[in-house]
Every structure is written in C-alpha cells, then in structure tokens.
Amino acid sequence: YALFALNDATNKFLVASLPVAQALFFRSLTITLGCLAVGRGPVVAAMVGSPVLRRMLVRAVITLVAWLCYFSAAPMLPFAQMMTLYFASPILTTLLAIPILGERVSAVRWATIFVGFAGVVVAADPRGLLVGQTPAWAIGLVMVAAVLWAYAAIMMRQIARHEGALVQMLAQNGFFLVATGAWTAFHWVTPTAWQLVLLVAIGAIGAGGQLFQFAAIRRAPVAVMAV
C-alpha cells in the first residue's frame, strides 16, 4: 500500500498534463515487460491455459474502469482529499467479504478499519469535498472507483486460490496494455524527458505493489488486507 500511495501521487502529477490512458499504458507496458522477462515462456503458457483466465480478464476490466475513474477525477481533487474518498474501499471490501467469501470479521478488525478511516479523514481535512467547492462528478468518479476496487479485491482473493502472482500480473497488465494502447495510438501526447522517467518509474513502483499485493492476498483474508 505504501508503494501504491507513491504510485498514485506520481500519477496525479503526470495526468495534469498527460492523458490518463497514456499514463496507464506506460505503467502496463513496464509491468508486462517485467513479467515476461522474469517468467518468459512458462508464465505465458500458464496464463493462456489458466482455468480462471476469463475471471482474470473480467477483473482486469473492472480494475481498468476503476483506474480511469480515479485518475480522471485526480486533476479536480487535492491528493489528500482524493485519498479520503478512496479509503472508503476497505470498508466496502470487508462488507463484501462476508457474504461472498464467507469470511468472519471480528469486532477488533472492524474497529481497526473505522479508526484507520477516521484517521485518514482527520489528516486529509475533507472540508473541500463539499459539493460547492469540488465538482460533484469528480467526487462521484472516485466513489465509483472505490466500489469497483472493493469488488476487484474480492475477485483477487478468489483467483489467488488458483493462480500465482506473476500470472495474475501478466493477465491484468497485458489487458491494460492492449486497451490503453489502442486509445493512446490516436491521442498520443509526447512526454518530456522528465515525464518519461516518471512514466517508467510508476511502472516499476506499480509492479512492486502488485507483486506484494497478489502474494499477500493468497495468505491473508480480504478483511485483513483491507485494513
């Protein structure tokens, strides 16, 4: 999550001058190439022959829509306030884990989630989120992203019972690469040298975050990951 926070902050800086899809394209390209360099032919064969390939692609679609919503709203929201809205996702994830995954959530874990959320709210000072000060559509997009990410986390836990982290990363980012690449081909904005460095950096940071997240969710309940 620390890596994801760094990734989000860098992305927010980039999408102020570059299209959201182009930033996601570079991120996905870096991660996909990294997966291929590490896993090579066997990881491709494992992905193509996976019994949960369709589910991985559905999750990729949900996650891509969430990212597009989140970073489309980013130029209109201060980063701290954007993160306040985003942190509604752990609460939603925990709620969904009970009926879908059959997980039991203790009172202590619920308390941890809400205390953590309260801390984020205090630190972020969300008074600027009042509709009169911030566009309602921007707030709505981040909330949609939070709901989609919550469900994607549930799917991740289900998929992790069948596939390892590298296969999941390749499937998700390979789909992202195709989807965002098609858009970027017609809306290309040439980045500066510094922006290009940051575009590669978010790929490396995102790869680390995803690798740890996919590996962790195989070993811990979703409610624990949500905290």
Side-chain angles (χ1 to χ4, degrees):
Y1 283 127
L3 290 172
F4 285 145
L6 179 58
N7 177 85
D8 290 353
T10 308
N11 258 318
K12 178 171 170 55
F13 172 78
L14 286 168
V15 299
S17 53
L18 293 175
V20 174
Q22 188 169 329
L24 290 174
F25 169 76
F26 273 94
R27 181 178 185 269
S28 302
L29 176 63
T30 304
I31 297 176
T32 300
L33 292 176
C35 290
L36 293 175
V38 174
R40 303 191 181 186
V43 72
V44 176
M47 182 194 73
V48 173
S50 173
V52 290
L53 177 59
R54 181 177 296 180
R55 180 165 294 205
M56 286 192 291
L57 293 178
V58 170
R59 182 184 179 276
V61 172
I62 293 172
T63 306
L64 178 59
V65 174
W67 276 113
L68 291 173
C69 290
Y70 188 63
F71 286 115
S72 293
M76 305 301 298
L77 289 169
F79 182 67
Q81 293 170 355
M82 189 168 70
M83 290 299 292
T84 303
L85 292 172
Y86 164 75
F87 271 94
S89 185
I91 298 174
L92 297 171
T93 301
T94 304
L95 287 172
L96 290 173
I98 298 171
I100 297 177
L101 298 176
E103 293 186 0
R104 296 183 63 185
V105 182
S106 66
V108 172
R109 199 163 290 163
W110 274 118
T112 304
I113 292 171
F114 283 107
V115 168
F117 180 72
V120 171
V121 172
V122 171
D125 186 16
R127 287 173 292 180
L129 292 176
L130 296 175
V131 175
Q133 300 177 14
T134 304
W137 65 265
I139 298 173
L141 282 179
V142 178
M143 291 306 299
V144 168
V147 173
L148 292 176
W149 270 320
Y151 185 63
I154 298 297
M155 293 190 70
M156 190 194 314
R157 173 69 169 170
Q158 294 172 325
I159 293 168
R161 296 168 178 168
H162 305 278
E163 289 296 352
L166 204 61
V167 172
Q168 292 186 67
M169 290 173 64
L170 181 60
Q172 176 170 302
N173 290 283
F175 173 81
F176 278 21
L177 185 63
V178 173
T180 58
W183 193 95
T184 300
F186 295 98
H187 301 85
W188 175 261
V189 175
T190 302
T192 64
W194 175 236
Q195 287 174 330
L196 188 59
V197 170
L198 291 179
L199 287 167
V200 175
I202 61 173
I205 295 167
Q210 285 185 20
L211 180 62
F212 291 137
Q213 184 183 42
F214 284 133
I217 204 157
R218 300 184 70 185
R219 297 165 174 82
V222 169
V224 174
M225 294 289 293
V227 175

